[in-house]
Amino acid sequence: MLREDRLQFCRVCVNQAFNADKGIVCSITGAVAAFEGSCTMYTEDEVLKQKYHSTRETKVIANKSLSTNKRLLNYILDMLFIYIFALIVGIVIGVTQVLFSYNIIGTEPDFLTKYAFGFLILFLYYSIWEMLTGRTPGKYITKSKVVGADGKKPSPGRILLRTLCRFIPFEPFSFIGDASEGWHDKISKTQVIDSRKNYFSDYE
């Protein structure tokens, strides 16, 4: 076994001690762990175990966070799909008006009507996709997904909050100076990570 393999046990053992020269050692023997397979003196400390895994998950999530360039690519791809989605909805509305002679939005929609339509399209697109799958079509292409601060699937409430935060004025500029997070990530306590390595199997 390698030292790092042994340290996975030592870090959560009640018999661990710290030596300035050697690092983590056994408090019983005073030596660096040298066992193979298992340690007869190993006694698990539940508090240390939870702390260790919490720290490890945080580091894993941080290492998997997407770069600004990939977040920008997600944005561009999703905008393309949103325009396609809006076009399809517009065609459906137009056909409905012709077939049933029922004017849904008027012949000349005013600014508020257009804004409300755009808001609805964006809200449905992001909230439905991310709530059901954790991924928008753009994120499927870039192999990324939305997770909570603990790396697990966010609750529907967090996804709805995340989507609403996208409408904060100048929200896209919140990425300036930050490698991977915008206001809609920070406020909803979610983030977008690389999904190619599945560290958290219970997400799916």
Side-chain angles (χ1 to χ4, degrees), residues 25 27 106 146 154:
V25 298
S27 62
V146 178

Side-chain angles (χ1 to χ4, degrees), residues 171-191:
E171 198 276 336
F173 293 101
S174 64
F175 283 91
I176 296 177
D178 192 302
S180 62
E181 292 186 322
W183 290 338
H184 67 279
D185 299 303
K186 295 174 181 177
I187 295 174
S188 64
K189 292 182 173 57
T190 58
Q191 58 186 308

Side-chain angles (χ1 to χ4, degrees), residues 49-150:
K49 181 180 179 181
Q50 290 180 2
K51 183 178 180 180
Y52 169 67
H53 285 292
S54 176
T55 302
R56 178 177 175 272
E57 287 183 357
T58 300
K59 290 179 179 178
V60 168
I61 296 169
N63 290 336
K64 293 178 70 187
S65 295
L66 296 191
S67 65
T68 303
N69 289 339
K70 203 163 187 179
R71 293 297 300 269
L72 177 61
L73 179 58
N74 277 346
Y75 177 79
I76 294 172
L77 290 171
D78 281 327
M79 283 299 104
L80 176 61
F81 284 112
I82 286 171
Y83 282 126
I84 294 173
F85 179 43
L87 178 62
I88 293 172
V89 173
I91 292 174
V92 171
I93 292 175
V95 171
T96 301
Q97 291 185 155
V98 171
L99 292 179
F100 299 97
S101 300
Y102 181 75
N103 200 331
I104 298 175
I105 59 175
T107 54
E108 290 295 333
D110 57 21
F111 173 78
L112 288 178
T113 301
K114 292 178 180 178
Y115 182 83
F117 179 74
F119 177 92
L120 182 62
I121 292 296
L122 261 72
F123 183 82
L124 291 176
Y125 177 86
Y126 279 109
S127 61
I128 291 176
W129 276 105
E130 292 186 349
M131 196 179 297
L132 294 178
T133 68
R135 302 171 174 89
T136 56
K139 292 182 181 68
Y140 270 106
I141 294 174
T142 61
K143 294 180 174 58
S144 54
K145 67 182 177 185
V146 178
V147 298
D150 58 355

